Amino acid sequence: MDWGFSHRVWEKWVSSNVGSSGEPLKAALLLNYDPTGPSRLVSIIAEQQGIKAKPVELSSFLEFIKQNNLQGECFFIGSNEYMVTSIHESWFCARCVNTSKPAGEGAIVMQTTAFLLVALYDGSIGSASRAMVAVDQTFPTKKTECKTRQFKEFPAAINTSLQLHSHFGEDIICLWNPSTKEYKVIPSTPIEHPRGSGILHSIRYGFGYDSKIEDYKLVRIADFLAYGHSYDSEVKIYTLGSNSWRRIQDIPYNFTFGSKSGALVNGTLHWIANRREASRLILSLDIRDETFREVPRPEYLNDQFHITIGVLGGWLCILDQYLDTVGVEVWVMKDYGVRGSWTKLYTITLQTVIQSFQYLTLVQSLKNGVILLKDNNALVLYDPKHERAGILKIPGIPEWFEPVTYVESLVSLNSCTCVGQEQTDEAIEQKIRSL
């Protein structure tokens, strides 16, 4: 290791990235770290800027890295306690949980063959993201895959919140990251009937991460009804990196039941769909190769009245509701793509606390097996172990809504626009008025 060369590169990097006069980072540490064993012959701290840390204060942080449990524990840098929010190939992001600063504080930790680079910043991730690019391009040591990363599909689960606002039949689409308060209004694209005529029946969306191109994609499916009850749908895909739409193949399906948003499992989006002269089916779209496939249903699915699709404990899940409202069967596919792996977990029986027990959809699985459901315009908590349910009341919730889940992420939308929810709504309304 040429320590003189490393020091010169460090000095050059911190001069343009660390400081208090507009630089993206407030402080940075370069720590000597050998993931295969202790580093007793050299100081823990190789370089530092904007912070006066002592080696003894960083011992617990190095132990945190070696314990290989990034998502299970918090760590300290000085008096700040941090929680990991996203994990990548050779680096991870964390947010300070005991900060007194209104905009918050964060940390980015990168592992190389010989060092741990700890970058500290205030406020939004936008400036820190630019600093990470600088680190990636200029730091002298070759990066290695972080040994602490155990989640092969983790990037595919990082979702921003998708806000859809309709205006005279046209959707104004806004991507919003609640963690960073950054939002991006997506450019509009016309809806085109596959056969040139017909009635627009419904619009479905899906959002996910394409690990092949390392970018995020938004899928829009517009399905039409034409004379003779033909089933035609136009499919377009928006890519965040290029900020543009593409029309891919038209498909002979329409979408009657379930949520507007596709259920994301195994890097693939899923909807309940219909095809001419066929019973209701599960239609999937692989985000990476943009190919539609039919996923096998449970062999003994009742399918009398209403079925919806979701994700339960990482498994593809179906809620199958009986016509006479006796109950709702909960099915999960434990081995993705294998029909015989469908398993009925339990049946949700009619509960008086549930308002109507119609069009029940799965929102999220919570602690101790409790699940969050949407029943028409109410949110319902259901405990399958004790067969109990209750209405979840949230002050200010609108009469009509569609809940979505997201994994906290510091991914930037590259819009350089960070506002709160109220300002997001105002910006969208201004966009609508300008149409």
Side-chain angles (χ1 to χ4, degrees), residues 104-169:
E105 299 175 74
I108 299 172
V109 181
M110 173 179 283
Q111 180 177 332
T112 73
T113 53
F115 300 109
L116 284 176
L117 176 61
V118 183
L120 306 175
Y121 65 92
D122 287 335
S124 171
I125 187 60
S127 59
S129 297
R130 294 190 295 272
M132 284 304 302
V133 173
V135 174
D136 191 56
Q137 292 176 345
T138 64
F139 209 67
T141 54
K142 181 180 179 181
K143 294 184 293 299
T144 183
E145 181 173 346
C146 192
K147 291 181 178 291
T148 54
R149 183 175 183 269
Q150 299 291 329
F151 309 97
K152 296 299 182 184
E153 292 298 325
F154 193 82
I158 299 175
N159 287 344
T160 56
S161 180
L162 179 63
Q163 309 288 326
L164 304 176
H165 296 256
S166 181
H167 175 67
F168 299 115

Side-chain angles (χ1 to χ4, degrees), residues 390-406:
I391 300 294
L392 177 62
K393 296 182 179 180
I394 301 177
I397 194 169
E399 182 179 0
W400 301 102
F401 65 94
E402 181 176 345
V404 295
T405 61
Y406 80 100

Side-chain angles (χ1 to χ4, degrees), residues 172-187:
I172 305 300
I173 306 172
C174 179
L175 293 177
W176 180 57
N177 189 335
S179 300
T180 63
K181 301 187 184 301
E182 183 182 14
Y183 81 96
K184 181 182 182 70
V185 178
I186 291 178

Side-chain angles (χ1 to χ4, degrees), residues 304-356:
Q304 288 183 354
F305 176 51
H306 185 62
I307 57 176
T308 58
I309 197 162
V311 183
L312 181 61
W315 293 320
L316 190 64
C317 174
I318 281 181
L319 300 186
D320 180 19
Q321 183 170 342
Y322 285 77
L323 180 61
D324 55 7
T325 67
V326 169
V328 176
E329 294 181 346
V330 180
W331 293 79
V332 294
M333 181 181 258
K334 293 190 173 182
D335 188 359
Y336 183 77
V338 178
R339 183 173 186 173
S341 71
W342 279 108
T343 304
K344 187 172 75 170
L345 294 183
Y346 45 81
T347 299
I348 304 174
T349 56
L350 179 60
Q351 302 284 332
T352 56
V353 72
I354 299 179
Q355 293 178 338
S356 62

Side-chain angles (χ1 to χ4, degrees), residues 195-271:
R195 299 177 186 267
S197 63
I199 301 171
L200 179 63
H201 179 253
S202 69
I203 299 177
R204 293 290 185 268
Y205 292 93
F207 184 73
Y209 180 78
D210 184 341
S211 58
K212 187 165 62 175
I213 65 171
E214 298 185 347
D215 207 346
Y216 290 85
K217 290 179 177 178
L218 172 68
V219 180
R220 189 193 72 184
I221 305 176
D223 77 87
F224 293 81
L225 293 179
Y227 296 110
H229 302 287
S230 63
Y231 290 66
D232 299 302
S233 292
E234 173 232 44
V235 184
K236 287 188 175 181
I237 293 181
Y238 167 85
T239 304
L240 181 61
S242 64
N243 193 35
S244 62
W245 290 91
R246 293 177 291 108
R247 184 175 179 177
I248 62 172
Q249 76 267 33
D250 299 328
I251 54 175
Y253 301 90
N254 75 359
F255 302 79
T256 303
F257 298 95
S259 169
K260 281 187 175 182
S261 302
L264 182 64
V265 177
N266 219 38
T268 304
L269 293 163
H270 303 80
W271 298 268

